[in-house]
Amino acid sequence: MSVATGAVDRHRARRPVQAVRDSLVVAQRNLIRMKRIPEVVVFAVIQPVMFVILFSYVFGGAIPVPGEKGAGGPLVYRNYLMAGIFAQTVTFATAGAGAGIADDMHKGLIDRFRSLPMARGAVLTGRTIADLVQTALTVMVLAVVAVLVGWRIHDGVPRMFAAFGLLLFLGYAFSWVGALIGLTVRTPEAATSGGLIWLFPLTFVSNAFVPTSGMPPFLRAVADWNPFSATVQACRQLYGNPQGIVSHAWPMRHPVWASLMWSVVIILVFRGLAVRKYRTATA
């Protein structure tokens, strides 16, 4: 083997290591930025806390959970609700991720990153990792608030952590959707609006806040195959919380596997699209 060939092989072997190192550097940069602007984290926590309080005390006694003992009781609904609120929190973080990337594009920071000898995609991977850390902190605070309003787990701590893992995995998957939106639009304001438009039907046409058994057949089929619904149902199953009447749809019968499958598919598709857009996007 020639010296040149050996050098090429060593360079190729270093590529994955370099990609990881570059991604972690970018993630550190974004985490430092979050630390210097704490109001971003504070506002990210306030919104889901408001949802918990409003849904628990305003709607808690009015929405029955079919198939559960004591259906219609506030405490039953709060335990049913919390998986949906957790999932909504990790997915709504997508809008912030898109706005952050759009802001970097608007300021020309992405162009400067692309001029550096760094791994392709490291900027986006680092950003999504930093957003995942922020989301994890938000979910931790939200879990404390949930316990204070009466939410409880019934199947043990290991299954609880497995549920939170599924939530964060879904949040990470959707952060790539936000990255693609942030690279596509021209301003951070447009990224925020574009990041929320598709999230509302995704979260509300689901089993997050009300059982799907009362929906029209077509809408119920959409909700049952919604990746958001799969994660919510998986979390309820792992927490031991009320699940209502479970549909015969495959994702509702096997929600843990469905949640994992959907998250992997979303990452593979939207990471590829986002990295491709990153190579060609201009401010």
Side-chain angles (χ1 to χ4, degrees), residues 92-157:
F92 269 44
T94 301
I101 292 176
D103 186 51
D104 288 342
M105 282 287 297
H106 187 67
K107 293 177 179 177
L109 185 62
I110 295 294
D111 290 331
R112 291 196 289 273
F113 274 133
R114 282 191 299 205
S115 67
L116 297 174
M118 60 191 305
R120 293 178 178 179
V123 173
L124 301 180
T125 302
R127 175 78 203 199
T128 54
I129 291 173
D131 290 331
L132 180 64
V133 173
Q134 178 180 334
T135 301
L137 294 174
T138 303
V139 170
M140 287 174 59
V141 175
L142 188 59
V144 174
V145 176
V147 171
L148 293 178
V149 300
W151 174 67
R152 297 293 184 270
I153 62 169
H154 303 282
D155 281 352
V157 174

Side-chain angles (χ1 to χ4, degrees), residues 171-209:
Y172 180 74
F174 279 123
S175 68
W176 284 104
V177 181
L180 180 61
I181 293 173
L183 291 168
T184 303
V185 300
R186 295 181 179 273
T187 64
E189 293 79 10
T192 301
S193 300
L196 289 173
I197 287 174
W198 65 276
L199 284 173
F200 278 105
L202 181 82
T203 54
F204 283 96
V205 184
S206 72
N207 60 358
F209 306 112

Side-chain angles (χ1 to χ4, degrees), residues 78-79 82 86 143 146-147 149-153 160 164 239 241:
R78 286 173 202 166
N79 281 276
M82 282 316 305
F86 287 139
V147 171
V149 300
W151 174 67
R152 297 293 184 270
I153 62 169
M160 178 193 72
F164 282 127
Y239 292 145
N241 288 164

Side-chain angles (χ1 to χ4, degrees), residues 3-276:
V3 175
T5 303
V8 170
D9 290 341
R10 286 193 297 273
H11 176 69
R12 289 176 177 174
R14 286 197 299 268
R15 282 181 181 176
V17 177
Q18 180 187 358
V20 172
R21 182 168 59 246
D22 293 344
S23 298
L24 292 177
V25 169
V26 176
Q28 183 181 23
R29 172 254 178 191
N30 283 286
L31 289 172
I32 292 173
R33 184 183 182 185
M34 292 175 188
K35 182 179 178 181
R36 292 176 178 173
I37 313 176
E39 56 267 27
V40 174
V41 180
V42 172
F43 290 147
V45 172
I46 290 175
Q47 181 181 353
V49 169
M50 290 177 60
F51 270 107
V52 171
I53 294 173
L54 288 174
F55 274 86
S56 295
Y57 293 102
V58 176
F59 303 115
I63 300 178
V65 182
E68 300 296 333
K69 185 178 180 180
L75 189 58
V76 172
Y77 181 69
R78 286 173 202 166
N79 281 276
Y80 176 86
L81 169 72
M82 282 316 305
I85 294 291
F86 287 139
Q88 184 193 52
T89 300
V90 301
T91 52
F92 269 44
T94 301
I101 292 176
D103 186 51
D104 288 342
M105 282 287 297
H106 187 67
K107 293 177 179 177
L109 185 62
I110 295 294
D111 290 331
R112 291 196 289 273
F113 274 133
R114 282 191 299 205
S115 67
L116 297 174
M118 60 191 305
R120 293 178 178 179
V123 173
L124 301 180
T125 302
R127 175 78 203 199
T128 54
I129 291 173
D131 290 331
L132 180 64
V133 173
Q134 178 180 334
T135 301
L137 294 174
T138 303
V139 170
M140 287 174 59
V141 175
L142 188 59
V144 174
V145 176
V147 171
L148 293 178
V149 300
W151 174 67
R152 297 293 184 270
I153 62 169
H154 303 282
D155 281 352
V157 174
R159 288 172 65 86
M160 178 193 72
F161 280 116
F164 282 127
L166 288 176
L167 287 167
L168 294 177
F169 194 32
L170 181 72
Y172 180 74
F174 279 123
S175 68
W176 284 104
V177 181
L180 180 61
I181 293 173
L183 291 168
T184 303
V185 300
R186 295 181 179 273
T187 64
E189 293 79 10
T192 301
S193 300
L196 289 173
I197 287 174
W198 65 276
L199 284 173
F200 278 105
L202 181 82
T203 54
F204 283 96
V205 184
S206 72
N207 60 358
F209 306 112
V210 295
T212 61
S213 55
M215 297 181 181
F218 171 75
L219 203 60
R220 183 179 186 183
V222 172
D224 288 342
W225 284 90
N226 184 342
F228 185 83
S229 293
T231 300
V232 171
Q233 192 72 8
C235 290
R236 287 182 182 137
Q237 187 179 94
L238 292 170
Y239 292 145
N241 288 164
Q243 298 179 51
I245 298 175
V246 180
S247 166
H248 292 290
W250 184 85
M252 296 297 98
R253 290 293 181 181
H254 309 278
V256 174
W257 288 109
S259 176
L260 289 171
M261 180 193 72
W262 276 119
S263 295
V264 169
V265 169
I266 292 168
I267 290 173
L268 291 176
V269 172
F270 284 94
R271 187 184 188 280
L273 293 173
V275 172
R276 181 182 300 178

